[in-house]
Amino acid sequence: MENDVRLVIRAKNNLLLTRIEEQGFPTAAAFCRRANVTYQTLNEFTCMRLSPRMKNGEWRKSALDIAEALGTPPEDLWSTEQQELTDPVKPAEVVMSMAEYGRRLAASNPERQIEARQYRELIASAVDTLKPLERQIVRRRFGLETGEAETYRAIGRDFGVTGARVQEIERRAIRRMQGRLREVGITKANVEDVEETLVTE
């Protein structure tokens, strides 16, 4: 499958974010009110676009306010590297296929691997309930048999229809599959959930 997913990876200050979560603040805005800092300032710190220390090495007042609101020394909220940050950390972009994205997503979390495996089994049973043409299109579109996903145009050529018609049939098939999944208690099934599971092989 062509590279159709662009992931933007943003570094975040996990020390700071985790401490805020542990304190039970329902939203970032609620924490900002408690710390008396703007949301923009908090975001600059969490996204590591701003060092908590000034050029002279002193802590910024806003960093000290955040630490005080969390009841912890600022050294516990910023690593040495983050304190010495001189340039903003820029987002990185990675381009990959949807199938590769699905594989990486599943591989990153053992619990998710188990859930994805169970969900795939339910998807497989839902695929089996489709009409023959729908079943063939879904299997080919998501590479369920060969591991290689095919384009709408390529499938359409084999069936003598346009790529747009193949896409229409695929969408109808996925809606049928959603109905089947709801019957077995998966109420949050939507097109993206089904497609993500199909490509996470």
Side-chain angles (χ1 to χ4, degrees), residues 67-104:
E68 183 179 346
L70 292 170
T72 189
E75 291 85 355
D76 290 350
L77 302 175
W78 286 275
S79 67
T80 303
E81 293 83 4
Q82 290 165 350
Q83 292 177 40
E84 296 170 356
L85 185 70
T86 55
D87 295 312
V89 176
K90 296 180 180 175
E93 290 188 354
V94 179
V95 179
M96 67 182 70
S97 70
M98 192 68 190
E100 177 63 16
Y101 171 66
R103 282 191 291 273
R104 290 188 185 193

Side-chain angles (χ1 to χ4, degrees), residues 99-126:
E100 177 63 16
Y101 171 66
R103 282 191 291 273
R104 290 188 185 193
L105 189 65
S108 67
N109 184 330
E111 288 180 8
R112 176 153 171 69
Q113 288 178 6
I114 294 169
E115 290 172 5
R117 190 178 313 118
Q118 293 169 339
Y119 197 23
R120 280 198 301 273
E121 290 170 3
L122 291 172
I123 291 286
S125 68

Side-chain angles (χ1 to χ4, degrees), residues 141-168:
R141 269 292 294 148
F142 296 98
L144 298 181
E145 294 174 355
T146 64
E148 292 293 324
E150 298 181 50
T151 65
Y152 294 120
R153 184 178 296 174
I155 298 169
R157 274 197 305 267
D158 289 348
F159 289 108
V161 297
T162 66
R165 177 65 180 142
V166 172
Q167 185 176 23
E168 182 183 314

